[in-house]
Amino acid sequence: MELAYYSDYAVRLVNTEEPARNKDALTSVETIRELFGPNGQAARRATDADVTRFRSVRGRLRSVFEAADGGDETLAVDLLNSLLLEFPVSPQISGHDFRDEDGKPDWHMHLADHPSNATAGYAAIAAMGLAFHLTSYGVDRLGLCEAAPCRNAYLDTSTNRSRRYCSDRCATRANVAAYRARKRLETERAAETGRSAETAQASTDHTER
């Protein structure tokens, strides 16, 4: 499993909450297990106590994205470093059962964790994955959706660092809202121009009399 894959752990956890909409999907052990994806062994360690712990880690990860989105690189790195220190991992070379044409293992980096609970395991993987993305592509590649009130986290993998929304749906919604705002402004300006013209004409008529 490539290290880049692990960065999505942070995004998935952060996006279980929509603060602006007062929505929180992180309410059960089942939700936590779904976050682990194919990592079934780690997911089986989850208990009811992890719900609260996961929410705490989620808030700290969102703070990393907020700092990055706000342009405070140092704060983003400091916040992420605190997570890395608290939730360490052990990088290992793994081959699993995959083989190439020559029958050799498909060697790749894997993050092995030895946590006391599911939260520690997930936090370690999420923090290391996010750190890998940050150091490889830059702090400005961590963003929060600009389509209010969404504010979901995302990782910008665009070639020109142009991503602003977490999904195509939010991008479309924002573009439609911007278009409607422009049309309203044009209508208001046209109406104001019309009223000004009427006022000017009325003044001219009064003067001629």
Side-chain angles (χ1 to χ4, degrees):
M1 188 176 295
E2 298 294 337
L3 290 179
Y5 166 84
Y6 290 113
S7 58
D8 193 50
Y9 272 59
V11 174
R12 291 204 303 267
L13 178 54
V14 170
N15 290 347
T16 58
E17 182 183 29
E18 296 180 73
R21 294 190 174 108
N22 197 28
K23 292 183 178 180
D24 189 347
L26 188 54
T27 58
S28 66
V29 175
E30 287 69 27
T31 302
I32 291 175
R33 289 173 178 163
E34 289 175 0
L35 286 171
F36 277 98
N39 194 348
Q41 182 177 355
R44 285 193 291 272
R45 292 195 297 261
T47 66
D48 290 334
D50 284 301
V51 174
T52 300
R53 291 193 288 253
F54 258 70
R55 287 176 174 172
S56 176
V57 171
R58 178 181 64 188
R60 294 171 67 181
L61 286 171
R62 176 171 281 278
S63 293
V64 175
F65 278 92
E66 289 175 342
D69 189 66
D72 195 335
E73 294 191 10
T74 301
L75 178 58
V77 170
D78 287 345
L79 292 171
L80 190 50
N81 272 336
S82 69
L83 284 165
L84 291 169
L85 288 171
E86 186 174 345
F87 304 105
V89 294
S90 302
Q92 295 180 348
I93 299 174
S94 176
H96 293 303
D97 296 324
F98 300 106
R99 305 282 174 170
D100 60 18
E101 294 180 356
D102 297 324
K104 297 178 181 179
D106 181 18
W107 300 115
H108 58 275
M109 292 302 298
H110 177 80
L111 298 183
D113 59 272
H114 311 283
S116 57
N117 56 67
T119 303
Y122 194 98
I125 293 172
M128 181 58 75
L130 200 57
F132 175 80
H133 192 92
L134 183 152
T135 55
S136 296
Y137 305 107
V139 178
D140 58 343
R141 292 289 188 152
L142 279 59
L144 293 173
C145 186
E146 293 185 11
C150 178
R151 302 301 285 169
N152 270 352
Y154 65 82
L155 299 173
D156 187 358
T157 57
S158 64
T159 56
N160 57 355
R161 300 173 184 264
S162 61
R163 185 169 179 178
R164 297 166 57 199
Y165 307 103
C166 68
S167 64
D168 290 340
R169 179 181 179 183
C170 275
T172 299
R173 183 160 55 85
N175 289 333
V176 170
Y179 172 77
R180 289 175 176 172
R182 288 196 300 270
K183 296 303 290 185
R184 283 196 300 270
L185 182 59
E186 290 173 2
T187 300
E188 291 171 359
R189 286 176 174 173
E192 182 63 29
T193 300
R195 286 193 294 270
S196 297
E198 291 175 358
T199 300
Q201 183 62 47
S203 178
T204 300
D205 293 346
H206 179 74
T207 301
E208 292 177 349
R209 292 173 187 173

